[in-house]
Amino acid sequence: MFDSPVPSDPAATPASRPAPRPIQAFILLITSGLTVLVTAILGPSLPAMQAHFADVPSADFLVPLTMTAPMLMMAGLSVFAGELADRFGRKRLLVVATLLYALVGTAPLYLQSLGAIIASRFALGIMEAVLMTVSTTMIGDYYSGAKRERFMSLQTTVSASSAFLLNMVGGVVAEHGWRAPYAVFALSLLLAPLMAIYLWEPQSRASMTAEQVAEDSRGFRPGLLVFTCVLSFLNGIMFLTVPVHFGYLHGAIGVQSPSAIGFAYGLNSLGVIAGTLLFGWVLAGRLRVAFQLATGALVAGIGFVLMQSADSYAALTVAGMVNGLGAGITLPALVTWNMRGLPVSRRGMGTGAFQSGFFLGLFVNPIVIVALEKGLVVPRAQAVGLVGFVLVALAIVAAMAGAARRRPAPQFGA
């Protein structure tokens, strides 16, 4: 299961497409990085926004929804965005979604009611589902083999680097008012013409004959896709644990300085970046999938376990960086494994299903961690540590599965 056969890829033949250049990689990587804007750029402005809408009933619940609403839409709609990309092609869908992303993303600059702003956030989530799914699918279309795995790792690198930079920029921009950060969403208008000029439509189900689709679909394994989506969901829960709960863990040990906590968040992001580079340039070409996942889960799990026992700022910050390193390994390992097992005719749908699982995991993370904290009546650090022990156990299972597949089958009757 951990080493699926590579299906036929008619889009990978030199005759069917031009060779991609750095400009295509730049466009697709930056497009996928747009999805971090929602959480990275808006966070510092939420208190001022909540104060502005203080007279609105349940504002303390509704204002944070402006950040989580897009995530929920991505969880529910990414698989459908991928199916649309398979049926009708990729490029036009991507360009239109990029233009609409700017329209709905900047809407809170002039919308007056909190309800209308939240509605625009749900609409933004629809566009983000298209952008993330189609850009990831097109990376799979344009590249294959080791290049694909490196660009998949760079996709996470770009997102983590963007989050690192935007976390700092968001605070500066928010000094000009809680509406100001929403202007940053207009940046997607710069990408749309570049897409129209430099991207080409890769082969997909939309351009294949019925016979080609039937032949190509023989390599599709629904059971494997379901399995990778489950792992993607679990990885989503793991991936958002530090962004959501790290500040609480610092507060529990007496660290209250926003700058100190922000620095710890930054080191966690640097850990993620380092993990993605480690995967793309070292692990991807040397380890099989099972051992890639085992390595990432083990390192991330150790980071969580260290958080549970950390009693100082330095110890907790180092634990966050260790966890980031593991998270940076597991995400591109899962993405490339999923992509490798998808035939061209199902690549958009399979990528979208994977993204749906991942973003659903992100969305439910606070529910899971708080449920563990309340249900077991333990501090939040112990709830995070429990997630770490689960990851370590999964790492052991993955390593054992990988080792079992390497052993030759026993010869009976010899």
Side-chain angles (χ1 to χ4, degrees), residues 45-72:
S45 67
L46 287 185
M49 184 181 183
Q50 186 160 323
H52 179 83
F53 290 108
D55 295 335
V56 177
S58 302
D60 55 338
F61 166 76
L62 294 174
V63 169
L65 190 60
T66 60
M67 289 182 65
T68 58
M71 202 176 297
L72 180 61

Side-chain angles (χ1 to χ4, degrees), residues 337-363:
W337 179 34
N338 179 65
M339 185 70 71
R340 195 182 309 136
L342 295 172
V344 175
S345 59
R346 305 295 182 92
R347 184 171 288 158
M349 182 277 295
T351 300
F354 181 91
Q355 298 291 351
S356 287
F358 180 70
F359 285 105
L360 181 60
L362 296 180
F363 183 78

Side-chain angles (χ1 to χ4, degrees), residues 5 30 50 53-55 62 70 89 181 188-190 228 242-243 257 266-267 272 279 304 309 313 334 339 347:
I30 295 299
Q50 186 160 323
F53 290 108
D55 295 335
L62 294 174
S188 65
L189 291 175
L190 300 176
T228 56
V242 168
S257 168
L267 289 182
V272 175
F279 170 80
F304 283 145
S309 58
Y313 173 76
L334 281 170
M339 185 70 71
R347 184 171 288 158

